[in-house]
Structures are given as C-alpha cells and as structure tokens.
Amino acid sequence: MILKELLEYFNIPATFPDYLMEQTFNKVFLDGELSHVGNNYTISVTTRQDVTHQMFLKPAEAYPLTILSELPNGSLNGMKFGLTPDDVVYINKL
C-alpha cells in the first residue's frame, strides 16, 4: 500500500512531498490506531509477534514521516523520511 492510500483510509487531510505519497508501506498499518494532536498524526499497531510499529506523520517538519518499530527485546529500528528522496535517516538503537 502507498502512503496516499493510507492517508485516504484514515481520512488524514495532510499533504506530503510527491515522492512520499507514492512510497510503499506495509499494510499492517491499516489495523493501527490513529491519534492526532494539531496537524501531527500517529498510527500505532502491535503485531502478533509483539512488535510495535508506529508511523509519525508531521507534515510541517523537515522529516515529515517517521517509521519506528520496537521489538519485544526493546530494540528500536526505523527510518525518517525527509523532504526529498535522498534525505533518509536510518534509526537503529539497541
């Protein structure tokens, strides 16, 4: 599923760079819970393997989209997507 479809599914009225709108993400987020404060949104879901995935949508930020996964042992990994396709930061904290 692409971000554009996810935004439509959750009725999120935010705009993101074109490249992000076409970025693919795991459809597990469709089962997530949506929360929002102001113009920022979070979709959180915990899988059967006790992995918690979070998608942070902050359209006004330099990194408008962050994916963060927490493994059962507490390890974190994910990615921060910037305003351009070449601006990606990998998150890896043990």
Side-chain angles (χ1 to χ4, degrees):
M1 112 167 314
I2 62 174
L3 180 61
K4 180 180 177 179
E5 295 169 332
L6 195 61
L7 295 176
E8 289 172 0
Y9 179 82
F10 282 105
N11 198 26
I12 297 173
T15 57
F16 293 88
D18 289 339
Y19 93 94
L20 276 177
M21 296 298 279
E22 299 300 321
Q23 184 71 39
T24 58
F25 295 98
N26 193 313
K27 66 181 182 178
V28 70
F29 285 106
L30 292 175
D31 294 329
E33 293 183 25
L34 176 69
S35 62
H36 70 88
V37 175
N39 292 329
N40 297 329
Y41 298 84
T42 302
I43 301 171
S44 299
V45 63
T46 301
T47 66
R48 286 182 283 178
Q49 295 83 17
D50 285 331
V51 176
T52 300
H53 302 282
Q54 293 180 300
M55 178 182 285
F56 300 96
L57 302 153
K58 299 179 179 184
E61 301 283 327
Y63 289 91
L65 177 63
T66 301
I67 303 293
L68 185 65
S69 298
E70 183 176 355
L71 305 175
N73 65 4
S75 294
L76 301 175
N77 63 46
M79 297 174 69
K80 291 173 73 169
F81 295 87
L83 298 175
T84 61
D86 59 336
D87 189 9
V88 176
V89 175
Y90 293 93
I91 301 165
N92 184 9
K93 182 179 178 184
L94 299 175

